[in-house]
Amino acid sequence: MLYPEEFDVIVVGGGHAGTEAALAAARMGCKTLLLSHNIETLGQMSCNPSIGGIGKGHLVKEVDALGGAMAIATDEGGIQFRILNSSKGPAVRATRAQADRILYKAAIRRRLENQPNLTLFQQAVDDLMVEGDRVVGAVTQVGIRFRSRTVVLTAGTFLDGKIHVGLNNYAAGRAGDPPAISLSARLKELKLPQARLKTGTPPRLDGRTIDFSRCEEQPGDLDPVPVFSFMGNAAMHPAQVPCWITHTNERTHEIIRSGFDRSPMFTGKIEGVGPRYCPSVEDKVNRFADKDSHQIFLEPEGLTTNEIYPNGISTSLPFDIQYQLVRSMAGLENAHILRPGYAIEYDYFDPRSLKSSFETRSIGGLFFAGQINGTTGYEEAAAQGLFAGVNAALQCQGKSSWLPGRDEAYLGVLVDDLITKGVTEPYRMFTSRAEFRLQLREDNADMRLTEQGRTLGLVDDARWESFNRKRDAVSRETERLKSTWVNPRNLPAAESERVLGKAIDHEYSLGDLLRRPDVRYAGLMSLDAGRYASADVSRETLAELWQPVVEQIEIAAKYSGYIDRQKDEILRAAQYEHLKLPLDFDYLGVPALSFEVRQKLNKHKPETLGLASRISGVTPAAISLLLVHLKKSR
Ligand code: FAD
């Protein structure tokens, strides 16, 4: 049957990429259809029940700054929040939350069900409708044909997915869900460059059978409890619960080694490469043979379940080995495994075959986002989903595509890395991937992106008003600090020493004083019985958002030297970053370049000089030679 309605954007897959893609396209006014295997699994966390962390938290805040759902759903479902690296510089501070997976999923589903312009439909997609070199829709398992102008494919780990437990394996998208086999075959037929990756998950435990008194308690941050969304607050969190820590030991490692001969990884049953930074426990024991213990976090899966996620023992070893290795650890001597751990192998597509909008180069209107592009992680998927949803919507609106720069967003770094470098193992975000990370902090994601989000049509009125209140308060208070002077003659020496560490010898502005490493904003405001405090703070509407305002002001004051230097670097790099390269340019005809560089450039056909410079093997010297050639040939 041909479905009677036609859509602007069809999103296939309701995981973290698909939900953000569908919400973004619909927020931008496009008639959007989200097709997924099962409405019950929309927004499902396939692996650990946590969101954020270093680099990943930055992406979540950016998705939020652009009006996305992940951060606010985490605030509504979060049961433990922490700021990681809190004693380090602001660039690497990151929020991480444990989520109640049921509440998280419900929060995502509520947003999807109530989003204007968005229709949900439960069916597996088995085929894509392609006319000439354009996609024109999707066909479901029972033959329903949905027509659309664009399709965003976010099939996660499901394409030709195969689960491994020991030497046993079976086809699946993840435990309990069907694989996408017909769609995988169709994509292969369309000759999109594809390969295999793998990822794994630990066995889940019944909390009633764990002796927590033998484990170390790990509480979240309680004063204050962190918040993920710029529109969130701590009162949204349902409750705060602790996690627990236990350790592997020599005996655990012996048990693990005894299963190596039946490990699908070590016996070559699994061909796909796994995530280096999220290794299985057998990989850790094998690679770090000198370590006699690894830390294992016991994370509650929710408030209404006893299920515990033992973070750190992801494994595809046979079940009898899993059983013994779990029981070899302190507190887990009698632990009952509710679900066995497993590894999954799946198809991914080489992201170098995507344009900088995530549209495939060979099939017009077809966009890819999430794990299908060779990444790992909910946060990486959500960011890509929002990005692809936006670009599919822009294409429907006849507008040019959107790509934030590497100096504007981790999202820009993520997309740029994927399309220029491709992946050889599942890609995850780290702050070290961003060369301008002092600019790309979690705390200023809204300052960097909300205005762009508003222009794109992603940001609603409530967020826009709240953002403007904050931005205005930051600039008003920054100006006030610059123009409010503290005169040593009017300042009692004891007060000066209390707040500034020593007496001042001449007049300083509050802004100058705040640049001193040990001087805090709160201290300045308490100086001389609050004589220099802002009148704004007492206003009710601002009091609520004052903490984030102060954070911006303090960071800008303390790091202004470094930030200004980084801005100069960005300006220098930007000179050539956006220089367009003709897509039909024949690099083989640039004799000054090495044959290898010519071949690489011809293969990738980068859209800009900036993109060319980040193709692996294309050196700065090669870029200079190319620039000279381009200038001469004009
Ligand atoms: P998914 O979350 O996989 O969602 C895909 C969605 O598409 C699903 O809703 C599915 O039903 C739907 N779908 C697929 N094909 C079709 C079709 N043909 N028709 C209709 N609907 C379809 N990440 C980490 O960061 N660290 C880890 O250690 C880690 N371990 C993992 C272990 C396992 C076993 C699994 C399965 C995943 C793991 N992940 C891990 C990855 C993490 O789950 C993914 O990165 C993330 O969920 C990807 O999001 P996505 O939206 O791309 O895909």
Side-chain angles (χ1 to χ4, degrees), residues 175-194:
D177 286 309
I181 290 179
S182 308
L183 186 59
S184 156
R186 174 67 163 135
L187 292 170
K188 282 171 192 149
E189 198 183 288
L190 290 169
K191 301 230 171 340
L192 294 155
Q194 158 268 340

PDB file of all heavy atoms in Angstrom, residues 175-194:
ATOM      1  N   ALA A 175      20.010  -7.148  22.540  1.00  0.00           N
ATOM      2  CA  ALA A 175      19.298  -8.225  23.227  1.00  0.00           C
ATOM      3  C   ALA A 175      17.797  -7.918  23.276  1.00  0.00           C
ATOM      4  O   ALA A 175      17.399  -6.829  23.699  1.00  0.00           O
ATOM      5  CB  ALA A 175      19.847  -8.389  24.635  1.00  0.00           C
ATOM      6  N   GLY A 176      16.986  -8.849  22.799  1.00  0.00           N
ATOM      7  CA  GLY A 176      15.534  -8.681  22.856  1.00  0.00           C
ATOM      8  C   GLY A 176      14.942  -7.970  21.652  1.00  0.00           C
ATOM      9  O   GLY A 176      13.718  -7.820  21.563  1.00  0.00           O
ATOM     10  N   ASP A 177      15.772  -7.482  20.733  1.00  0.00           N
ATOM     11  CA  ASP A 177      15.248  -6.757  19.566  1.00  0.00           C
ATOM     12  C   ASP A 177      15.717  -7.410  18.267  1.00  0.00           C
ATOM     13  O   ASP A 177      16.828  -7.933  18.198  1.00  0.00           O
ATOM     14  CB  ASP A 177      15.735  -5.303  19.583  1.00  0.00           C
ATOM     15  CG  ASP A 177      15.011  -4.473  20.625  1.00  0.00           C
ATOM     16  OD1 ASP A 177      13.769  -4.504  20.640  1.00  0.00           O
ATOM     17  OD2 ASP A 177      15.683  -3.815  21.426  1.00  0.00           O
ATOM     18  N   PRO A 178      14.873  -7.340  17.215  1.00  0.00           N
ATOM     19  CA  PRO A 178      15.233  -8.001  15.952  1.00  0.00           C
ATOM     20  C   PRO A 178      16.322  -7.244  15.198  1.00  0.00           C
ATOM     21  O   PRO A 178      16.460  -6.033  15.365  1.00  0.00           O
ATOM     22  CB  PRO A 178      13.922  -7.945  15.158  1.00  0.00           C
ATOM     23  CG  PRO A 178      13.249  -6.716  15.660  1.00  0.00           C
ATOM     24  CD  PRO A 178      13.600  -6.610  17.113  1.00  0.00           C
ATOM     25  N   PRO A 179      17.091  -7.929  14.366  1.00  0.00           N
ATOM     26  CA  PRO A 179      18.083  -7.238  13.544  1.00  0.00           C
ATOM     27  C   PRO A 179      17.408  -6.607  12.323  1.00  0.00           C
ATOM     28  O   PRO A 179      16.253  -6.917  12.027  1.00  0.00           O
ATOM     29  CB  PRO A 179      18.998  -8.381  13.099  1.00  0.00           C
ATOM     30  CG  PRO A 179      18.083  -9.559  13.011  1.00  0.00           C
ATOM     31  CD  PRO A 179      17.040  -9.376  14.090  1.00  0.00           C
ATOM     32  N   ALA A 180      18.130  -5.726  11.625  1.00  0.00           N
ATOM     33  CA  ALA A 180      17.618  -5.175  10.364  1.00  0.00           C
ATOM     34  C   ALA A 180      18.433  -5.821   9.244  1.00  0.00           C
ATOM     35  O   ALA A 180      19.499  -5.317   8.872  1.00  0.00           O
ATOM     36  CB  ALA A 180      17.770  -3.653  10.363  1.00  0.00           C
ATOM     37  N   ILE A 181      17.927  -6.954   8.734  1.00  0.00           N
ATOM     38  CA  ILE A 181      18.708  -7.715   7.753  1.00  0.00           C
ATOM     39  C   ILE A 181      18.392  -7.277   6.323  1.00  0.00           C
ATOM     40  O   ILE A 181      19.292  -7.015   5.524  1.00  0.00           O
ATOM     41  CB  ILE A 181      18.481  -9.227   7.965  1.00  0.00           C
ATOM     42  CG1 ILE A 181      19.183  -9.599   9.289  1.00  0.00           C
ATOM     43  CG2 ILE A 181      19.055 -10.059   6.812  1.00  0.00           C
ATOM     44  CD1 ILE A 181      19.085 -11.004   9.726  1.00  0.00           C
ATOM     45  N   SER A 182      17.083  -7.135   6.020  1.00  0.00           N
ATOM     46  CA  SER A 182      16.728  -6.744   4.643  1.00  0.00           C
ATOM     47  C   SER A 182      17.262  -5.360   4.318  1.00  0.00           C
ATOM     48  O   SER A 182      17.788  -5.121   3.222  1.00  0.00           O
ATOM     49  CB  SER A 182      15.209  -6.712   4.462  1.00  0.00           C
ATOM     50  OG  SER A 182      14.671  -7.915   4.881  1.00  0.00           O
ATOM     51  N   LEU A 183      17.159  -4.442   5.290  1.00  0.00           N
ATOM     52  CA  LEU A 183      17.636  -3.081   5.039  1.00  0.00           C
ATOM     53  C   LEU A 183      19.148  -3.079   4.822  1.00  0.00           C
ATOM     54  O   LEU A 183      19.671  -2.376   3.950  1.00  0.00           O
ATOM     55  CB  LEU A 183      17.264  -2.168   6.215  1.00  0.00           C
ATOM     56  CG  LEU A 183      17.568  -0.690   6.020  1.00  0.00           C
ATOM     57  CD1 LEU A 183      16.844  -0.112   4.809  1.00  0.00           C
ATOM     58  CD2 LEU A 183      17.189   0.115   7.261  1.00  0.00           C
ATOM     59  N   SER A 184      19.841  -3.913   5.613  1.00  0.00           N
ATOM     60  CA  SER A 184      21.297  -4.009   5.456  1.00  0.00           C
ATOM     61  C   SER A 184      21.635  -4.485   4.041  1.00  0.00           C
ATOM     62  O   SER A 184      22.523  -3.931   3.374  1.00  0.00           O
ATOM     63  CB  SER A 184      21.842  -4.977   6.514  1.00  0.00           C
ATOM     64  OG  SER A 184      23.042  -5.522   6.112  1.00  0.00           O
ATOM     65  N   ALA A 185      20.898  -5.507   3.565  1.00  0.00           N
ATOM     66  CA  ALA A 185      21.160  -6.048   2.227  1.00  0.00           C
ATOM     67  C   ALA A 185      20.899  -4.973   1.162  1.00  0.00           C
ATOM     68  O   ALA A 185      21.664  -4.819   0.200  1.00  0.00           O
ATOM     69  CB  ALA A 185      20.281  -7.264   1.982  1.00  0.00           C
ATOM     70  N   ARG A 186      19.832  -4.190   1.363  1.00  0.00           N
ATOM     71  CA  ARG A 186      19.489  -3.152   0.395  1.00  0.00           C
ATOM     72  C   ARG A 186      20.581  -2.080   0.319  1.00  0.00           C
ATOM     73  O   ARG A 186      20.953  -1.599  -0.750  1.00  0.00           O
ATOM     74  CB  ARG A 186      18.149  -2.528   0.816  1.00  0.00           C
ATOM     75  CG  ARG A 186      17.736  -1.338   0.000  1.00  0.00           C
ATOM     76  CD  ARG A 186      17.413  -1.730  -1.427  1.00  0.00           C
ATOM     77  NE  ARG A 186      16.640  -0.705  -2.106  1.00  0.00           N
ATOM     78  CZ  ARG A 186      16.887  -0.278  -3.328  1.00  0.00           C
ATOM     79  NH1 ARG A 186      17.880  -0.797  -4.025  1.00  0.00           N
ATOM     80  NH2 ARG A 186      16.136   0.644  -3.875  1.00  0.00           N
ATOM     81  N   LEU A 187      21.127  -1.730   1.504  1.00  0.00           N
ATOM     82  CA  LEU A 187      22.178  -0.707   1.521  1.00  0.00           C
ATOM     83  C   LEU A 187      23.436  -1.223   0.829  1.00  0.00           C
ATOM     84  O   LEU A 187      24.142  -0.477   0.149  1.00  0.00           O
ATOM     85  CB  LEU A 187      22.488  -0.279   2.962  1.00  0.00           C
ATOM     86  CG  LEU A 187      21.348   0.483   3.659  1.00  0.00           C
ATOM     87  CD1 LEU A 187      21.638   0.647   5.142  1.00  0.00           C
ATOM     88  CD2 LEU A 187      21.114   1.842   3.018  1.00  0.00           C
ATOM     89  N   LYS A 188      23.694  -2.522   0.992  1.00  0.00           N
ATOM     90  CA  LYS A 188      24.859  -3.099   0.312  1.00  0.00           C
ATOM     91  C   LYS A 188      24.643  -3.050  -1.196  1.00  0.00           C
ATOM     92  O   LYS A 188      25.553  -2.744  -1.964  1.00  0.00           O
ATOM     93  CB  LYS A 188      25.090  -4.535   0.781  1.00  0.00           C
ATOM     94  CG  LYS A 188      25.765  -4.561   2.153  1.00  0.00           C
ATOM     95  CD  LYS A 188      25.832  -5.926   2.761  1.00  0.00           C
ATOM     96  CE  LYS A 188      26.244  -5.794   4.217  1.00  0.00           C
ATOM     97  NZ  LYS A 188      25.727  -6.804   5.108  1.00  0.00           N
ATOM     98  N   GLU A 189      23.395  -3.329  -1.603  1.00  0.00           N
ATOM     99  CA  GLU A 189      23.054  -3.295  -3.031  1.00  0.00           C
ATOM    100  C   GLU A 189      23.260  -1.880  -3.600  1.00  0.00           C
ATOM    101  O   GLU A 189      23.647  -1.716  -4.750  1.00  0.00           O
ATOM    102  CB  GLU A 189      21.581  -3.685  -3.130  1.00  0.00           C
ATOM    103  CG  GLU A 189      21.066  -4.130  -4.447  1.00  0.00           C
ATOM    104  CD  GLU A 189      19.568  -4.376  -4.284  1.00  0.00           C
ATOM    105  OE1 GLU A 189      19.197  -5.370  -3.631  1.00  0.00           O
ATOM    106  OE2 GLU A 189      18.763  -3.551  -4.784  1.00  0.00           O
ATOM    107  N   LEU A 190      23.013  -0.877  -2.750  1.00  0.00           N
ATOM    108  CA  LEU A 190      23.176   0.509  -3.200  1.00  0.00           C
ATOM    109  C   LEU A 190      24.652   0.928  -3.230  1.00  0.00           C
ATOM    110  O   LEU A 190      24.981   2.070  -3.534  1.00  0.00           O
ATOM    111  CB  LEU A 190      22.381   1.462  -2.304  1.00  0.00           C
ATOM    112  CG  LEU A 190      20.861   1.375  -2.433  1.00  0.00           C
ATOM    113  CD1 LEU A 190      20.174   2.162  -1.324  1.00  0.00           C
ATOM    114  CD2 LEU A 190      20.379   1.856  -3.792  1.00  0.00           C
ATOM    115  N   LYS A 191      25.513   0.011  -2.852  1.00  0.00           N
ATOM    116  CA  LYS A 191      26.969   0.179  -2.944  1.00  0.00           C
ATOM    117  C   LYS A 191      27.493   1.331  -2.088  1.00  0.00           C
ATOM    118  O   LYS A 191      28.409   2.070  -2.478  1.00  0.00           O
ATOM    119  CB  LYS A 191      27.405   0.378  -4.411  1.00  0.00           C
ATOM    120  CG  LYS A 191      27.031  -0.749  -5.341  1.00  0.00           C
ATOM    121  CD  LYS A 191      28.215  -1.189  -6.147  1.00  0.00           C
ATOM    122  CE  LYS A 191      28.053  -2.435  -6.962  1.00  0.00           C
ATOM    123  NZ  LYS A 191      27.023  -3.377  -6.672  1.00  0.00           N
ATOM    124  N   LEU A 192      26.877   1.498  -0.908  1.00  0.00           N
ATOM    125  CA  LEU A 192      27.414   2.481   0.030  1.00  0.00           C
ATOM    126  C   LEU A 192      28.547   1.787   0.782  1.00  0.00           C
ATOM    127  O   LEU A 192      28.379   0.655   1.223  1.00  0.00           O
ATOM    128  CB  LEU A 192      26.302   2.933   0.981  1.00  0.00           C
ATOM    129  CG  LEU A 192      25.190   3.711   0.278  1.00  0.00           C
ATOM    130  CD1 LEU A 192      23.876   3.617   1.028  1.00  0.00           C
ATOM    131  CD2 LEU A 192      25.602   5.159   0.111  1.00  0.00           C
ATOM    132  N   PRO A 193      29.718   2.424   0.907  1.00  0.00           N
ATOM    133  CA  PRO A 193      30.874   1.724   1.492  1.00  0.00           C
ATOM    134  C   PRO A 193      30.637   1.356   2.953  1.00  0.00           C
ATOM    135  O   PRO A 193      30.336   2.198   3.774  1.00  0.00           O
ATOM    136  CB  PRO A 193      32.011   2.740   1.371  1.00  0.00           C
ATOM    137  CG  PRO A 193      31.363   4.044   1.123  1.00  0.00           C
ATOM    138  CD  PRO A 193      30.023   3.799   0.535  1.00  0.00           C
ATOM    139  N   GLN A 194      30.802   0.065   3.234  1.00  0.00           N
ATOM    140  CA  GLN A 194      30.339  -0.444   4.525  1.00  0.00           C
ATOM    141  C   GLN A 194      31.371  -1.393   5.103  1.00  0.00           C
ATOM    142  O   GLN A 194      32.179  -1.966   4.374  1.00  0.00           O
ATOM    143  CB  GLN A 194      28.971  -1.089   4.245  1.00  0.00           C
ATOM    144  CG  GLN A 194      28.455  -2.097   5.183  1.00  0.00           C
ATOM    145  CD  GLN A 194      28.836  -3.510   4.785  1.00  0.00           C
ATOM    146  OE1 GLN A 194      29.180  -3.773   3.637  1.00  0.00           O
ATOM    147  NE2 GLN A 194      28.811  -4.403   5.750  1.00  0.00           N
TER     148      GLN A 194
END
